[in-house]
Amino acid sequence: MWQAIWLLPLLGSATVLLPNELPGNYNLTEQGAQSFVNDYNTTSENVFYESVLASWEYNTNLTIANQEKQIAASLKEQAFNEAWGNKAKQLFDSILPSFKDKQLKKLISKIRILGVANLPVDERERYNTILSQMDNIYSTAKVCPPGVSDKCWSLDPDLTNLLATSRNYKKLLYAWEGWHNQSGVPLREKYPEFVKLSNKASTMDNYTDTGDYWRSWYESPTFEDDLEKIYKQLEPLYLNLHAFVRRKLYEHYGSKYINLKGPIPAHLLGNMWAQQWNNIYDMMIPFPNKPNMDVTQTMVDQKWNATHMFRVSEEFFTSLGLIGMPQEFWDKSMLEKPDDREVVCHASAWDFYNRKDFRIKQCTTVTMEQLFTVHHEMGHIEYYLQYKDQPVTFRGGANPGFHEALGDVLSLSVSTPKHLKEIGLLDMVTDDEESDLNYLLKMALEKIAFLPFGYLIDQWRWGVFSGRTPPERYNYEWWYLRTKYQGICPPVPRTEEHFDPGAKFHIPGNTPYIRYFVSFILQFQFHQKLCQLSNHTGSLHKCDIYRNKEAGAMLETVLSAGSSRPWQEILKNATGVDHMDASSLLEYFQPLTQWLEKQNQNETLGWPDFEWRPPVPEGYPEGIDKIADETAAKEFLSRFNDTAEKVWNVYSEASWAYNTNITEHNKQIMLQKNLDMSTHTLQYGLEARNFDYTDFQDESTKRILKKLSDIERAGLPENELKEYNNILSSMETKYSVAEVCRDNGKCHPLDPDLTEVLAKSRDYSDLLFAWKGWRDASGKQIRQEYKRYVELSNKAARLNGHSDNGAFWRSLYETPTFEQDLETLYTEMQPLYLNLHAYVRRALYKKYGAENINLKGPIPAHVLGNMWAQSWANIYDLVVPFPGATQVDATPAMVAKGWNAKKMFEQSDHFFTSLGLLPMPQEFWEKSMLEKPTDGRQVVCHASAWDFYNRRDFRIKQCTVVTMDDLITVHHEMGHVQYFLQYKDQPISFRDGANPGFHEAIGDVLALSVSTPKHLNKIGLLDKVETNHESDINYLMSIALDKIAFLPFGYLMDQWRWKVFDGRISEKEYNKEWWNLRLKYQGLCPPVPRSEEDFDPGAKFHVPANVPYVRYFVSFVIQFQFHEALCKAAKQTGALHECDIYQSKEAGTLLGDVMKLGFSKPWPEAMKMITGQPNMTAIPLLKYFEPLIKWLEEENKKNGDILGWPEYDWVPGTKKAEETGKVSFLGMDLSSGQAAAGQWILLVLGLGLVVATSYLAYKVLSSKRKRSVSELELQ
């Protein structure tokens, strides 16, 4: 830019006029004036041609050299105007009032206006330089995407298309802000100087300022008042359109970005300047099922190009009997954007003043909107052609608005469905009220939306030129007017450092703009008259004047006059009225006006919240390239849902086949289907990440995309994904086929053999054999694989934006305070657990003696009736509070009555249907595995419920045995299937529990009813129900041994894994920290020494199977919340532990409604639906066990039992020192003196060993014998 300024002195010679370009000598008479005008006309054609040509060459090839030529030509043109204008003043000012020829008088008056030529040459040069610089800044401005510098967006077509087609709030904002900053801000310092020079030139022509000069072209002393009156006529229609559009934008972008009583953010209206809103028509369509009048796609399909669009436009003009384009037009116009140079893309029509060369410069794209622009620009050319033989001074519109109106008035015909069908862009015309309203709204988004913008631009400039708006208030006043008239606001804060008016071409291009407002009024006046001449009847908006010669003749009369007569006279001759009037426009839009008024009955018209501004989006400008089209997102999710059902079903079938028949063949099929599922998850997960759903209105769409974007392990590279899947399969297989063998060769699987040993045996050694044997056979075998599993799990989690795999698991609860909430819950329940622990410990002490049970220490983990001491229900016989009172164990009755697995499941199904819930489908009974097969197959016995994702196939896999404990498990698993059934019609991503704990709780909450004596009596498994304190305590004890005993285990399982995942527990301390947690929370210890060669966590199914476990802790808390709520719904009174909701349809409805939600709502909403409040709380659980709590506290106090385990380092198999007088030393029971002597002996031996070792090391090193690599590896 500086080069142009530096070169200005070199341009002086180019501004010198040739002798034949200077005015001669003329008589001071009217005849002399006529000769003057004739010479001026001839000479000006040559000078103006040179000036226009230089400007054309610069605008179509933005180079420094062309800029220099343009400035030189402009200076020459101004010198020409100065010479001839001053001559006119000098010769004819004194006699001009006496001229009889009004046309001659008018010509002389116009020639004597010098404009910029009034300025001294240096100021004139500066003025032209500023204009050229501003033009260059605007035309070369680009917006670069974040982090990109080589592929930036120009205004046309990049930013224009982006504003038109994107619905991404952030991306629109980035484009809008970027353009306003890149184009407007650099102009800020130049514009005040331009205003000063422009005003100086205007005042020298006796105008008050440049705005006064511009308004003089309209030859009306009441011009400003007339405009205001017209705007007031139009304002009600605009306000209704604004309110309707605002509501539609609100529905799309929501209350965060749209205030229904405020202005609309300026970047959301489909156009960089919000001057026309037709590009957002797709969001506004009143009747979407009616034909869409946007023929853009048809144009593309029919392979229209720029030339064809202009040929179609030309044919419209010639069909009216008007002039076709000359050959020069087709040879020299720039109808498309060149690939090889920078150009000014703003569409414009050019008259080269030689009466044969007329061109258009337009970066045409094939769209319906551009087709209208083509007709607009061709209208200018037709005007040029019609008045080309007028004197140069009269080669212009009757007023500037006339010139703009002529192309647009044809577009009113071109855009009609009738005409679009005529030219092959519509197959048929639908003629009904709804289609009409669709069409009129589209036209209103172009025409009515424009009116306040067309009015305010020069309102702002007139204020600037007059001094009412000083430079320090440029931007403030700009946005004040835009909010006042348009009801729009900037989407980000704007200050006086910005210059947002400069982001509109006409400001740096110094093109007056009120002409467009005027043209939008005049075009409807002309249209109405042309339609009358065409004998059109019916609605004005349906009129098409195509091929009507009478209409063409009227247009020819208007066009050929140029500006030779007052525009009022030309208008009256054409239309019958001599003033601008909006009544024709209002008649055109009358049907739409009435419809909008009905739509807006409850809307606020206007924007009383005048100062409201939208917030800046979170994370802006990150994520601008993501898709923010909510409709596209819904289409994507529909596609995902359809394909996922198929892929997940195939995997589920393969996994079922493997789990019910463990073979290498089935394993390989399952692994391949797992990979297929991961590929699908990866494909759609990555696609989901392309959406920016932050501001979507549909919460379900946002929720699914968020969930789907977490692709979990599918994000791993393919080789690592295969490795991960193989590790999981291997670990689960080792667990499932593990057996413990006795010396006699008899081997025992976990289910049912070892489980039965732990449950029924009371032989300390036999229990120890089963306990230790299972851990040696299962957990120890997978330790090395688990380390790699942790690495890969963490990598997958980090690829999904989580800090580690534990963080991912916790994220499923959508609660930032989840860990703290769990700790609070555990703390609330800990006193109950400590009392139960102390009570059970004393009972075990009575059974196994002081050598095996320490009343102040932890309990050995193998004596609690369960392989993992997670439930103590199987030692109820050892701890029953009142042996003489009723004890609730339905197992004997079930066996006696011949119950089998199917009967147990049928009974559970009956419980659900008694609540009005869904029965199991036939596929369930035909395909489930309800008992352990006897055909030799190895199976995964761990009970589980299966959803096959086809909305009809649901199964359970369980090695059921006929016990009350398994009856409870049956209800638990059936609860899962009932959940599946209830949410089966949700999108596949929502077919899950509200949180993982919900899924576990549903079956368990029914088990709280099933296990009551009242219910067991109803179903024939208990002869009588005793209601007394002792029976209640017995019953509550049986429940507590299952529910309360479980709580610390349910809590610590994932405490351990979370710490493993985040590195707080290293691989070298897996087992040590496992037992530390079991000691801390459960008060348990291993019955035999454990080391880091062992891997006791792996002896629990959920660890090798990669199943998070804290869900069970959560479920054990919330099931009591559910139970209390369901009991209230069932109108049960009395103690909570006596409640049985069997056959309560009210309870079933409440439960079913929650299950139907699946994962579609955050779990606090589901919690509130069922309990009336959104939080997890232990209060209902404590209420349930309240009688037992009091009894345990009294019993422990009576026995003098210690709560907790202060002697935490006690080892089973040794009596307490104070009881025996002996201590354990090297596995031997010795007196204190013997142990002390032994310590001294060990010390002496140790010192001797150190000396001997040092000597041997010296001998080895001194031998200097080199060993082979193979020998080193062997050692």
Side-chain angles (χ1 to χ4, degrees):
M1 203 62 65
W2 63 269
Q3 292 178 359
I5 300 170
W6 181 81
L7 287 167
L8 276 175
L10 304 179
L11 300 174
S13 59
T15 67
V16 176
L17 294 172
L18 300 174
N20 64 342
E21 294 170 337
L22 292 169
N25 296 313
Y26 304 93
N27 295 327
L28 301 183
T29 63
E30 192 165 347
Q31 186 176 3
Q34 185 63 59
S35 298
F36 173 85
V37 166
N38 291 339
D39 289 347
Y40 172 84
N41 198 64
T42 303
T43 311
S44 63
E45 282 190 336
N46 295 326
V47 173
F48 291 175
Y49 172 81
E50 291 178 11
S51 179
V52 174
L53 181 62
S55 184
W56 171 269
E57 289 178 348
Y58 173 63
N59 276 262
T60 58
N61 189 8
L62 295 171
T63 67
I64 295 297
N66 285 342
Q67 184 184 39
E68 295 166 13
K69 293 177 183 177
Q70 182 201 34
I71 294 172
S74 296
L75 288 170
K76 181 174 181 179
E77 180 183 342
Q78 290 158 10
F80 174 83
N81 290 337
E82 178 186 24
W84 286 83
N86 283 330
K87 193 71 170 181
K89 291 179 184 179
Q90 174 190 340
L91 295 175
F92 307 118
D93 270 8
S94 60
I95 63 172
L96 190 61
S98 64
F99 283 7
K100 294 178 182 180
D101 186 340
K102 292 183 179 179
Q103 291 294 79
L104 180 61
K105 189 175 182 179
K106 188 173 183 179
L107 287 169
I108 293 292
S109 296
K110 286 180 175 285
I111 293 171
R112 68 183 301 282
I113 302 298
L114 300 184
V116 179
N118 282 309
L119 298 174
V121 173
D122 59 335
E123 291 183 347
R124 196 183 307 169
E125 290 178 347
R126 179 62 184 153
Y127 175 91
N128 286 314
T129 299
I130 292 172
L131 273 184
S132 182
Q133 289 175 335
M134 291 197 300
D135 191 38
N136 188 275
I137 288 168
Y138 183 93
S139 300
T140 60
K142 286 184 171 59
V143 177
C144 298
V148 176
S149 59
D150 57 336
K151 293 183 180 179
C152 300
W153 300 322
S154 57
L155 179 62
D156 285 308
D158 305 325
L159 294 171
T160 298
N161 288 343
L162 194 159
L163 267 291
T165 59
S166 177
R167 302 296 178 255
N168 181 329
Y169 190 96
K170 287 183 186 176
K171 192 168 188 177
L172 289 168
L173 177 56
Y174 188 84
W176 185 94
E177 183 183 23
W179 176 253
H180 282 72
N181 290 348
Q182 292 301 314
S183 63
V185 172
L187 303 176
R188 180 71 175 77
E189 63 179 1
K190 301 183 183 302
Y191 202 71
E193 186 180 0
F194 158 75
V195 169
K196 182 179 178 182
L197 292 170
S198 182
N199 274 343
K200 182 176 180 179
S202 297
T203 56
M204 294 174 75
D205 282 323
N206 297 318
Y207 297 102
T208 56
D209 55 60
T210 299
D212 183 34
Y213 170 51
W214 287 0
R215 291 189 297 274
S216 73
W217 303 338
Y218 293 88
E219 303 174 296
S220 171
T222 60
F223 182 58
E224 288 185 270
D225 293 337
D226 294 343
L227 294 179
E228 187 65 22
K229 287 175 184 176
I230 290 172
Y231 185 75
K232 289 300 181 185
Q233 262 186 294
L234 301 165
E235 190 174 35
L237 173 52
Y238 178 77
L239 291 177
N240 272 285
L241 180 66
H242 181 280
F244 176 78
V245 168
R246 182 173 58 192
R247 168 63 66 176
K248 290 292 186 179
L249 292 172
Y250 177 89
E251 292 170 2
H252 185 83
Y253 294 107
S255 58
K256 181 178 180 181
Y257 297 122
I258 303 294
N259 177 353
L260 290 174
K261 294 184 179 181
I264 299 172
H267 66 308
L268 300 179
L269 291 157
N271 174 274
M272 184 63 79
W273 310 279
Q275 67 185 59
Q276 290 173 319
W277 307 345
N278 46 318
N279 288 319
I280 59 168
Y281 174 66
D282 62 298
M283 303 168 70
M284 307 291 143
I285 304 175
F287 302 100
N289 295 326
K290 291 295 179 177
N292 182 1
M293 291 300 106
D294 188 345
V295 296
T296 297
Q297 190 56 51
T298 306
M299 295 169 68
V300 172
D301 293 343
Q302 293 184 7
K303 297 188 170 24
W304 282 45
N305 58 23
T307 302
H308 185 66
M309 292 163 72
F310 280 90
R311 288 291 186 186
V312 168
S313 178
E314 179 189 36
E315 197 273 330
F316 195 110
F317 285 95
T318 57
S319 82
L320 302 177
L322 299 174
I323 303 171
M325 298 297 107
Q327 188 58 41
E328 285 90 344
F329 173 85
W330 302 108
D331 293 340
K332 298 181 178 181
S333 289
M334 186 197 92
L335 304 183
E336 294 180 280
K337 185 175 183 178
D339 296 328
D340 58 350
R341 60 190 187 274
E342 293 276 7
V343 299
V344 177
C345 262
H346 187 87
S348 53
W350 296 62
D351 180 353
F352 283 76
Y353 292 98
N354 61 2
R355 285 172 284 172
K356 60 183 179 183
D357 193 350
F358 309 95
R359 310 179 196 175
I360 284 175
K361 173 183 63 62
Q362 184 172 333
C363 299
T364 315
T365 54
V366 180
T367 68
M368 184 177 178
E369 183 184 11
Q370 286 270 289
L371 182 62
F372 299 155
T373 303
V374 165
H375 282 79
H376 176 91
E377 300 303 331
M378 290 285 269
H380 286 304
I381 301 293
E382 186 64 37
Y383 220 148
Y384 299 155
L385 287 165
Q386 292 290 344
Y387 62 50
K388 65 184 175 62
D389 294 319
Q390 288 281 358
V392 167
T393 310
F394 287 158
R395 294 183 200 170
N399 71 34
F402 270 63
H403 228 304
E404 302 300 334
L406 261 297
D408 281 354
V409 77
L410 299 196
S411 292
L412 292 175
S413 289
V414 172
S415 62
T416 61
K418 176 184 175 184
H419 185 77
L420 294 173
K421 182 176 184 297
E422 189 80 32
I423 62 175
L425 292 178
L426 272 184
D427 292 332
M428 58 179 290
V429 176
T430 305
D431 191 6
D432 58 49
E433 182 182 359
E434 292 180 347
S435 298
D436 281 358
L437 288 169
N438 278 356
Y439 173 70
L440 283 171
L441 182 72
K442 184 163 189 178
M443 294 300 292
L445 293 172
E446 178 189 349
K447 303 293 185 181
I448 305 305
F450 174 81
L451 292 168
F453 184 75
Y455 186 38
L456 73 85
I457 281 204
D458 282 353
Q459 289 278 334
W460 179 81
R461 280 195 284 200
W462 296 344
V464 168
F465 287 132
S466 71
R468 295 192 305 271
T469 301
E472 60 269 20
R473 288 175 60 85
Y474 277 175
N475 226 41
Y476 171 83
E477 191 66 22
W478 171 256
W479 282 110
Y480 172 78
L481 290 171
R482 297 205 71 184
T483 305
K484 176 183 176 181
Y485 289 107
Q486 282 188 283
I488 69 167
C489 62
V492 287
R494 310 301 285 170
T495 69
E496 291 305 324
E497 292 180 1
H498 302 109
F499 186 56
D500 295 331
K504 177 62 180 167
F505 169 80
H506 300 75
I507 302 296
N510 192 34
T511 304
Y513 207 76
I514 198 67
R515 63 181 65 186
Y516 300 104
F517 178 83
V518 169
S519 80
F520 271 49
I521 306 301
L522 290 174
Q523 65 187 258
F524 287 93
Q525 292 181 255
F526 285 136
H527 182 63
Q528 186 175 46
K529 185 62 179 179
L530 292 168
C531 292
Q532 290 171 4
L533 292 171
S534 302
N535 299 315
H536 171 78
T537 57
S539 300
L540 195 54
H541 65 271
K542 296 182 179 180
C543 169
D544 175 17
I545 65 169
Y546 184 51
R547 294 177 178 159
N548 188 277
K549 298 297 192 290
E550 290 79 7
M554 189 210 90
L555 282 174
E556 184 176 358
T557 301
V558 171
L559 300 178
S560 61
S563 62
S564 63
R565 289 180 288 145
W567 67 266
Q568 295 91 337
E569 179 184 323
I570 295 174
L571 181 63
K572 185 171 183 177
N573 289 340
T575 68
V577 295
D578 63 355
H579 60 277
M580 293 185 291
D581 180 46
S583 57
S584 299
L585 180 151
L586 294 173
E587 179 184 336
Y588 183 98
F589 286 107
Q590 181 60 24
L592 179 67
T593 303
Q594 293 175 344
W595 184 82
L596 286 173
E597 288 171 349
K598 290 179 183 177
Q599 301 302 308
N600 292 333
Q601 285 179 355
N602 298 318
E603 299 289 342
T604 299
L605 297 187
W607 35 95
D609 293 350
F610 191 92
E611 299 294 337
W612 177 85
R613 299 293 181 267
V616 177
E618 298 171 15
Y620 173 77
E622 292 179 8
I624 67 163
D625 285 328
K626 293 189 175 182
I627 304 167
D629 184 340
E630 193 160 354
T631 301
K634 289 177 179 178
E635 291 170 356
F636 161 72
L637 291 179
S638 175
R639 189 170 74 253
F640 164 74
N641 202 70
D642 292 342
T643 55
E645 282 189 336
K646 296 180 178 68
V647 173
W648 293 15
N649 173 260
V650 170
Y651 168 71
S652 297
E653 289 283 8
S655 184
W656 174 269
Y658 172 70
N659 276 263
T660 57
N661 185 13
I662 299 174
T663 67
E664 184 60 28
H665 174 72
N666 285 346
K667 174 184 174 182
Q668 292 305 318
I669 294 175
M670 179 187 71
L671 288 173
Q672 182 55 52
K673 300 308 177 186
N674 195 324
L675 279 176
D676 294 344
M677 188 170 69
S678 293
T679 300
H680 181 270
T681 300
L682 178 64
Q683 174 191 342
Y684 281 90
L686 293 176
E687 196 169 342
R689 291 180 179 182
N690 290 331
F691 288 92
D692 179 1
Y693 52 80
T694 311
D695 299 315
F696 283 2
Q697 299 307 293
D698 183 14
E699 290 298 324
S700 293
T701 302
K702 294 169 68 172
R703 190 167 176 78
I704 295 175
L705 285 171
K706 180 182 179 182
K707 185 176 184 182
L708 192 54
S709 296
D710 198 321
I711 56 179
E712 301 181 28
R713 65 193 184 198
L716 291 170
E718 185 178 355
N719 62 322
E720 290 185 334
L721 177 60
K722 287 181 179 179
E723 181 186 4
Y724 179 90
N725 289 337
N726 279 316
I727 288 172
L728 281 185
S729 175
S730 173
M731 290 195 300
E732 190 171 346
T733 299
K734 287 175 181 177
Y735 181 95
S736 299
V737 302
E739 292 183 329
V740 177
C741 298
R742 297 184 183 273
D743 292 339
N744 63 8
K746 180 174 175 57
C747 296
H748 302 281
L750 177 64
D751 286 309
D753 299 10
L754 298 176
T755 297
E756 190 168 319
V757 171
L758 267 292
K760 295 182 177 179
S761 176
R762 300 296 179 258
D763 183 303
Y764 192 92
S765 298
D766 197 30
L767 291 170
L768 182 58
F769 164 79
W771 187 93
K772 183 179 183 298
W774 174 248
R775 279 154 180 77
D776 289 344
S778 60
K780 184 181 283 190
Q781 307 306 313
I782 68 172
R783 181 182 176 113
Q784 291 307 312
E785 289 176 301
Y786 198 78
K787 172 192 170 186
R788 180 60 176 156
Y789 152 79
V790 169
E791 293 171 354
L792 292 173
S793 295
N794 277 341
K795 181 172 181 177
R798 292 181 186 117
L799 288 171
N800 285 283
H802 305 288
S803 58
D804 57 72
N805 198 41
F808 163 58
W809 285 1
R810 294 190 295 275
S811 73
L812 300 176
Y813 292 85
E814 303 176 292
T815 308
T817 58
F818 184 58
E819 288 184 90
Q820 300 93 302
D821 295 346
L822 294 181
E823 187 65 28
T824 299
L825 288 171
Y826 184 75
T827 302
E828 289 176 8
M829 298 180 289
Q830 191 177 37
L832 170 54
Y833 178 76
L834 292 177
N835 273 287
L836 180 66
H837 180 280
Y839 174 79
V840 168
R841 183 173 56 192
R842 178 160 290 281
L844 293 171
Y845 178 84
K846 292 176 182 177
K847 172 67 180 174
Y848 296 110
E851 183 177 352
N852 296 310
I853 305 295
N854 178 355
L855 290 174
K856 294 182 181 180
I859 300 172
H862 67 309
V863 296
L864 289 157
N866 174 273
M867 184 62 78
W868 310 278
Q870 69 185 62
S871 169
W872 305 346
N874 289 319
I875 61 165
Y876 177 70
D877 59 303
L878 298 178
V879 303
V880 56
F882 300 103
T886 301
Q887 299 176 31
V888 181
D889 183 3
T891 300
M894 293 167 68
V895 173
K897 290 178 178 288
W899 279 41
N900 58 20
K902 187 174 182 182
K903 171 67 175 175
M904 294 162 71
F905 280 91
E906 288 173 341
Q907 185 60 48
S908 176
D909 188 38
H910 175 66
F911 194 109
F912 283 98
T913 57
S914 83
L915 302 179
L917 298 174
L918 298 171
M920 294 298 108
Q922 188 59 34
E923 286 92 341
F924 173 84
W925 301 108
E926 293 173 353
K927 297 182 178 180
S928 290
M929 186 196 91
L930 305 182
E931 295 180 277
K932 187 172 184 177
T934 57
D935 57 2
R937 276 183 288 156
Q938 285 190 314
V939 300
V940 177
C941 261
H942 186 88
S944 54
W946 295 60
D947 181 352
F948 284 78
Y949 299 101
N950 60 7
R951 286 171 278 172
R952 63 178 183 273
D953 192 351
F954 309 96
R955 309 177 198 171
I956 284 175
K957 171 184 63 63
Q958 183 172 331
C959 299
T960 315
V961 292
V962 181
T963 65
M964 182 173 174
D965 189 42
D966 263 23
L967 181 63
I968 301 303
T969 301
V970 165
H971 281 78
H972 176 92
E973 298 304 330
M974 290 284 272
H976 285 304
V977 177
Q978 184 65 220
Y979 219 149
F980 298 156
L981 287 165
Q982 292 291 340
Y983 61 49
K984 65 184 174 62
D985 294 319
Q986 287 279 3
I988 198 166
S989 298
F990 286 161
R991 294 182 206 169
D992 207 343
N995 71 34
F998 270 63
H999 229 304
E1000 304 301 332
I1002 294 299
D1004 280 357
V1005 74
L1006 300 194
L1008 291 175
S1009 289
V1010 171
S1011 61
T1012 61
K1014 177 181 175 182
H1015 183 77
L1016 294 173
N1017 175 254
K1018 283 182 184 177
I1019 62 174
L1021 294 180
L1022 198 64
D1023 292 335
K1024 62 178 181 176
V1025 178
E1026 291 187 8
T1027 54
N1028 56 59
H1029 176 68
E1030 292 183 351
S1031 297
D1032 278 359
I1033 296 301
N1034 277 356
Y1035 173 67
L1036 285 171
M1037 178 60 75
S1038 70
I1039 301 299
L1041 291 172
D1042 182 38
K1043 304 292 184 183
I1044 305 305
F1046 173 82
L1047 290 169
F1049 183 76
Y1051 187 36
L1052 72 86
M1053 272 276 289
D1054 282 353
Q1055 287 280 333
W1056 180 81
R1057 283 192 284 193
W1058 294 346
K1059 291 177 179 178
V1060 167
F1061 288 133
D1062 69 20
R1064 284 177 288 173
I1065 294 177
S1066 73
E1067 58 173 298
K1068 297 178 181 178
E1069 296 183 321
Y1070 277 173
N1071 226 42
K1072 171 190 168 186
E1073 292 302 326
W1074 169 256
W1075 283 108
N1076 282 346
L1077 288 170
R1078 298 205 70 182
L1079 175 66
K1080 175 182 177 181
Y1081 289 107
Q1082 282 187 286
L1084 303 184
C1085 63
V1088 290
R1090 312 303 288 160
S1091 72
E1092 290 305 322
E1093 292 183 3
D1094 301 303
F1095 187 56
D1096 296 333
K1100 176 63 180 167
F1101 171 81
H1102 300 75
V1103 173
N1106 186 38
V1107 178
Y1109 206 76
V1110 82
R1111 62 181 63 183
Y1112 301 103
F1113 176 82
V1114 169
S1115 79
F1116 272 48
V1117 175
I1118 65 177
Q1119 66 187 252
F1120 288 94
Q1121 293 180 256
F1122 293 172
H1123 184 60
E1124 182 180 48
L1126 294 172
C1127 291
K1128 288 179 182 176
K1131 297 180 173 57
Q1132 294 275 325
T1133 57
L1136 194 55
H1137 66 271
E1138 295 176 350
C1139 169
D1140 174 18
I1141 64 168
Y1142 183 53
Q1143 297 178 329
S1144 170
K1145 298 295 191 291
E1146 294 80 6
T1149 298
L1150 184 60
L1151 193 58
D1153 288 345
V1154 169
M1155 288 192 285
K1156 282 185 178 70
L1157 291 177
F1159 185 69
S1160 65
K1161 302 287 183 185
W1163 70 262
E1165 291 186 35
M1167 176 68 80
K1168 189 171 183 179
M1169 181 184 290
I1170 194 169
T1171 69
Q1173 60 81 45
N1175 303 311
M1176 291 189 291
T1177 174
I1179 293 173
L1181 180 149
L1182 297 173
K1183 179 180 178 183
Y1184 182 97
F1185 287 106
E1186 189 174 358
L1188 180 65
I1189 293 171
K1190 292 180 180 177
W1191 184 84
L1192 284 172
E1193 288 172 347
E1194 293 171 359
E1195 192 71 11
N1196 289 333
K1197 185 177 181 181
K1198 180 177 73 176
N1199 292 331
D1201 279 323
I1202 302 288
L1203 299 188
W1205 34 95
E1207 296 183 7
Y1208 59 86
D1209 55 352
W1210 171 80
V1211 178
T1214 60
K1215 293 183 180 180
K1216 293 169 59 180
E1218 60 265 29
E1219 292 178 358
T1220 63
K1222 295 185 178 182
V1223 297
S1224 178
F1225 180 73
L1226 297 180
M1228 301 176 286
D1229 289 337
L1230 304 175
S1231 67
S1232 298
Q1234 290 171 324
Q1239 289 174 333
W1240 282 107
I1241 292 169
L1242 279 179
L1243 178 61
V1244 172
L1245 290 173
L1247 290 171
L1249 184 60
V1250 168
V1251 172
T1253 301
S1254 300
Y1255 174 75
L1256 286 171
Y1258 169 75
K1259 294 291 289 179
V1260 169
L1261 289 171
S1262 62
S1263 68
K1264 296 183 181 180
R1265 182 175 68 89
K1266 294 183 179 179
R1267 294 180 290 174
S1268 68
V1269 173
S1270 59
E1271 186 181 352
L1272 289 170
E1273 287 177 348
L1274 180 64
Q1275 289 194 353

